[in-house]
Amino acid sequence: MKFIHLSDLHIGKSINGFPMLEEQRHAFNQIIGYMESNKADAVIIAGDVYDRAVPSVEAVKLFDWLLTQIALRNVPIMIISGNHDSPERLNFASRLLSRRDIFISGEFDGELRCVTLQDEYGDVRFWLMPFVKPALVSGFFPDRRIESYGDAAAAALETARLDSNIRNVLVSHQFYTPAGAVLIRSESEINPIGGLDAIDAGLLKEFDYAALGHLHRSQKAGSENIRYAGSPVKYSISEWMHQKSVLLVDMREKGEVITEALPLTPIRDMREIKGKLETLISAEIVSQADREDYLHVILTDEEELVDPMGKVRGVYPNVMSLDFENARTTVDLSSIRAGTEPIEALSAFDLFSEFFLDAQGSVMSNEQAGIIRELLEMEEMH
Ligand SMILES: [Mn+2]
């Protein structure tokens, strides 16, 4: 049996105001192509279908299109919620959709849902575990102490009645960490509780394959058969060096699993370029790669530049962000402040003036300064 393992679609995501819908559609088209060329028997989406709990109209339409394309090819699809999804909304019509081989597990209801598919070696059981948090799980296990994400995952996983004679696949969207290995994180994953969500990957050892979601870089979590698929599109500048892909998992007899990363190419790549403004916008540099790419630009000029973003965008229309790296930025950030006095010694007006300068890149006009003075005086009177 061959199946395609995807995760972290984040449909509807925008990066610095650039919508990713066309990139997402482009990636999905390649995935459908891979599904056909490899004659995949199933598709797994391991969470973070949408970028937010209430997705945009365009995002819902794109997901509808993706599901329809897969279902029209009579390929079963298994979907779980991730930390970005609304469990209840993702669950919409899930019972009805299961009749068309679209299996959605958005909400944990006390036990893991099992979907069984067959091939020439017998049954493969897919255990669908929606994203779980301690507070969501503890209500189902009144006699058990469930305080951490690890406790929650352990309790949920124990509801899978595993028959070790047949093949078992887990689909889950949690932060599993293997002992003795470091996983690569990305800024776009959004870690709500600063690493406290980490779960021992040892909990997964009974499964023949764990199809994981959450980490945006494709990687294994300690063992060949415990894998994060990664996102199909680069979702933050920190991912610019990643090669995005989907996983093709070939399960043969019990114990024999072969995975292959199928590469995805974007319409526009995401890159970081660094150097002096004049160099970066010179014809020689511009001609070396696609100037329509999404760029993070780091300028190393020491002197003040007039409208650097305008100049860079004049050549590279899709600059996502601009930073400076020079003598001024490499010294302490507090040097942005005009004076050397400690912050406590500054008046509220001075502090605001500096904040304004930092945020706006220019000093306040006399009129603006007058308004701020008035507001501060009113504040003092209260
Ligand atoms: Mn994600």
Side-chain angles (χ1 to χ4, degrees):
M1 169 173 308
K2 282 181 183 172
F3 57 88
I4 288 189
H5 168 195
L6 314 171
S7 77
D8 299 88
L9 308 185
H10 287 265
I11 302 175
K13 187 175 179 66
S14 289
I15 308 171
N16 293 6
F18 289 83
M20 289 292 120
L21 276 165
E22 281 314 302
E23 290 290 347
Q24 291 167 334
R25 183 184 288 273
H26 185 68
F28 297 164
N29 269 316
Q30 294 170 69
I31 291 165
I32 292 162
Y34 281 138
M35 209 179 85
E36 289 180 332
S37 59
N38 291 288
K39 298 191 173 61
D41 301 293
V43 172
I44 289 175
I45 304 177
D48 283 356
V49 171
Y50 293 116
D51 191 51
R52 45 172 123 148
V54 184
S56 67
V57 170
E58 292 76 17
V60 174
K61 283 168 114 171
L62 181 56
F63 187 47
D64 178 68
W65 174 85
L66 175 65
L67 282 189
T68 307
Q69 292 305 310
I70 299 171
L72 284 175
R73 289 161 175 81
N74 294 314
V75 175
I77 177 164
M78 287 167 268
I79 302 165
I80 58 159
S81 57
N83 52 315
H84 283 251
D85 298 305
S86 157
E88 299 82 359
R89 289 193 177 91
L90 197 69
N91 245 8
F92 174 76
S94 57
R95 256 174 258 170
L96 289 175
L97 289 170
S98 66
R99 295 192 196 171
R100 288 297 309 265
D101 284 349
I102 298 172
F103 304 99
I104 302 174
S105 183
E107 233 179 338
F108 182 70
D109 62 2
E111 60 179 329
L112 299 191
R113 179 163 187 190
C114 179
V115 175
T116 305
L117 301 180
Q118 275 102 22
D119 64 7
E120 65 266 41
Y121 304 107
D123 286 359
V124 180
R125 288 191 187 153
F126 293 87
W127 299 92
L128 309 187
M129 177 163 144
F131 178 68
V132 295
K133 295 179 195 175
L136 282 175
V137 171
S138 58
F140 295 100
F141 303 93
D143 304 329
R144 200 165 162 158
R145 263 169 64 116
I146 295 178
E147 287 167 351
S148 68
Y149 275 73
D151 298 341
L157 285 167
E158 279 172 33
T159 68
R161 294 169 309 279
L162 298 184
D163 177 346
S164 58
N165 294 314
I166 62 166
R167 292 163 294 166
N168 292 287
V169 175
L170 175 70
V171 185
S172 176
H173 187 103
Q174 310 282 157
F175 180 32
Y176 293 101
T177 57
V182 177
L183 299 176
I184 301 162
R185 315 280 333 246
S186 304
E187 277 166 20
S188 59
E189 282 152 19
I190 303 185
N191 216 11
I193 46 164
L196 288 178
D197 52 345
I199 298 168
D200 178 8
L203 286 176
L204 309 178
K205 63 180 187 299
E206 303 296 327
F207 293 93
D208 296 278
Y209 184 77
L212 304 180
H214 188 46
L215 301 190
H216 287 185
R217 175 160 184 145
S218 183
Q219 58 196 298
K220 55 187 180 193
S223 115
E224 291 296 326
N225 298 343
I226 303 176
R227 283 187 182 265
Y228 283 98
S231 59
V233 173
K234 296 177 186 179
Y235 285 138
S236 70
I237 290 291
S238 69
E239 295 165 41
W240 77 278
M241 300 271 272
H242 296 186
Q243 168 62 56
K244 293 301 180 183
S245 58
V246 294
L247 292 171
L248 179 69
V249 182
D250 186 0
M251 280 201 119
R252 297 176 188 173
E253 274 174 280
K254 173 120 183 141
E256 197 184 355
V257 182
I258 297 159
T259 54
E260 184 188 349
L262 307 172
L264 297 172
T265 48
I267 303 171
R268 299 187 180 112
D269 202 2
M270 189 180 283
R271 291 188 283 129
E272 187 176 280
I273 55 172
K274 181 166 147 182
K276 289 195 190 303
L277 176 64
E278 285 307 319
T279 315
L280 295 184
I281 63 175
S282 67
E284 195 202 335
I285 296 293
V286 174
S287 64
Q288 283 176 10
D290 191 342
R291 64 191 194 92
E292 304 261 326
D293 283 349
Y294 299 115
L295 293 186
H296 173 56
V297 177
I298 302 171
L299 295 176
T300 55
D301 300 79
E302 291 296 337
E303 59 280 10
E304 286 293 338
L305 298 168
V306 180
D307 189 20
M309 185 56 117
K311 284 184 177 140
V312 174
R313 281 223 171 115
V315 177
Y316 304 102
N318 299 313
V319 174
M320 285 185 156
S321 57
L322 182 79
D323 264 326
F324 291 92
E325 206 176 287
N326 55 31
R328 275 172 292 148
T329 61
T330 48
V331 295
D332 188 353
L333 277 177
S334 62
S335 67
I336 294 165
R337 299 202 292 113
T340 52
E341 313 94 307
I343 281 174
E344 302 76 46
L346 292 173
S347 69
F349 180 80
D350 289 341
L351 280 171
F352 186 84
S353 303
E354 288 192 9
F355 165 71
F356 186 93
L357 176 63
D358 191 29
Q360 298 290 319
S362 63
V363 294
M364 280 189 283
S365 68
N366 286 340
E367 191 191 351
Q368 289 165 332
I371 293 168
I372 295 303
R373 282 214 166 83
E374 259 174 51
L375 285 170
L376 289 168
E377 275 163 25
M378 279 164 60
E379 188 60 32
E380 270 164 31
M381 283 190 289
H382 284 104

